Amino acid sequence: MKALPQTSQTTGQQAWTVKSHIPRPPRPATNSIVTRRYDIRWQDASGAEASKTIVAPALPIFEQAFSAFAQGTLIQTAEGHVAVEDLQPGDRLATADSGNRRLVWIGSMTLFPQAEAIGLPQAFLYRISDGSFGLDPCAPDLLLGPSARILPGLFAVDSSSPLHDIGELTDSQSVIRIRPVSPVRVFHLGLERHCLLRANGVLAESFHPGDNPRIHLSREMFVLYMSLFPNVDNLSGFGPLRHPRQG
């Protein structure tokens, strides 16, 4: 039985009770940052291949490094076309602007149809149909991830050619935005330098973090971000951004 307050007949003061009214300190706020698994494979300067999985925030700047090409995309290599999921660090890719270049880093992650239900940001895929934006009108449809940038049409491939974010080219005809109905594996590819790859005949950029990703991250978060790229020692290891980005 809970003890009730009683008043002393001699002092008029309230007697001690079991229930305490001492205020408790508020609980600290929980961390609301959502994380996801990022898989990386790379080749170091000695040619050794390695791989690992890193759990990191599901922030746009992180996800942009892993979501350019959907599984099944055919990438042109020095030996012919290879599905993106079958590429290996060390393969030589046939670029549109720099000849054959060594593939030094492969990043991948999974897009889920129920992303919002599990706390992840909703991401869309983009289908380029009927050979649009490519040299081969008979090429199969190309399914790109949300971070892909391409060179539309038959523009020149010199350093003045601007790259366009695939999301900005959506017109519901040649480029269609779709919501994945099942988990889809998406990839990005890092070469020795920033180049134009041929993906199902479409010119798309290899991975480059941009001019200065550090300005968007705290010191601790930047260290975590750079841990995703063990093939480079610092930002200068990515080389210059050789093609401007539209917008």
Side-chain angles (χ1 to χ4, degrees):
M1 180 180 296
K2 181 173 68 174
L4 297 176
Q6 297 180 353
T7 302
S8 171
Q9 295 180 352
T10 57
T11 64
Q13 295 179 347
Q14 191 177 54
W16 177 86
T17 62
V18 174
K19 186 177 180 180
S20 173
H21 297 281
I22 300 175
R24 297 179 180 179
R27 293 182 179 180
T30 58
N31 193 338
S32 60
I33 295 179
V34 179
T35 59
R36 72 155 72 243
R37 292 164 58 95
Y38 299 100
D39 296 313
I40 58 175
R41 290 182 290 153
W42 73 95
Q43 187 178 51
D44 62 22
S46 67
E49 182 179 336
S51 64
K52 66 179 176 180
T53 297
I54 295 178
V55 176
L59 298 174
I61 192 170
F62 282 78
E63 295 189 340
Q64 287 166 7
F66 293 83
S67 56
F69 307 105
Q71 183 171 338
T73 299
L74 297 178
I75 303 296
Q76 188 170 344
T77 75
E79 305 298 328
H81 292 89
V82 177
V84 65
E85 64 269 23
D86 294 330
L87 291 171
Q88 301 293 327
D91 288 349
R92 306 287 292 185
L93 304 190
T95 72
D97 55 350
S98 301
N100 294 334
R101 288 286 171 174
R102 184 166 58 96
L103 178 62
V104 297
W105 180 89
I106 303 172
S108 61
M109 70 181 199
T110 300
L111 297 181
F112 298 96
Q114 71 279 20
E116 294 173 325
I118 59 179
L120 293 171
Q122 179 62 57
F124 295 91
L125 296 170
Y126 297 85
R127 184 181 297 279
I128 298 179
S129 60
D130 301 328
S132 302
F133 304 128
L135 298 175
D136 184 1
C138 298
D141 288 0
L142 173 61
L143 194 60
L144 294 173
S147 68
R149 293 186 180 89
I150 69 171
L151 192 66
L154 303 179
F155 293 105
V157 297
D158 59 28
S159 59
S160 65
S161 307
L163 293 158
H164 293 255
D165 188 311
I166 187 62
E168 298 176 353
L169 298 174
T170 303
D171 59 7
S172 300
Q173 295 181 1
S174 297
V175 181
I176 303 170
R177 189 180 78 165
I178 60 176
R179 185 189 296 267
V181 296
S182 60
V184 178
R185 199 72 177 161
V186 287
F187 300 78
H188 217 327
L189 307 173
L191 276 64
E192 300 167 287
R193 59 188 294 181
H194 187 224
C195 296
L196 291 175
L197 307 174
R198 292 186 174 94
N200 289 25
V202 176
L203 300 184
E205 73 168 343
S206 63
F207 174 72
H208 193 287
D211 292 328
N212 189 10
R214 186 191 296 268
I215 63 176
H216 302 290
L217 300 169
S218 66
R219 182 181 181 279
E220 293 76 11
M221 201 68 76
F222 179 74
V223 171
L224 178 58
Y225 177 78
M226 289 303 298
S227 71
L228 297 170
F229 312 104
N231 56 299
V232 298
D233 295 327
N234 48 54
L235 285 176
S236 63
F238 292 102
L241 189 66
R242 300 186 65 246
H243 295 272
R245 291 168 172 171
Q246 186 73 26

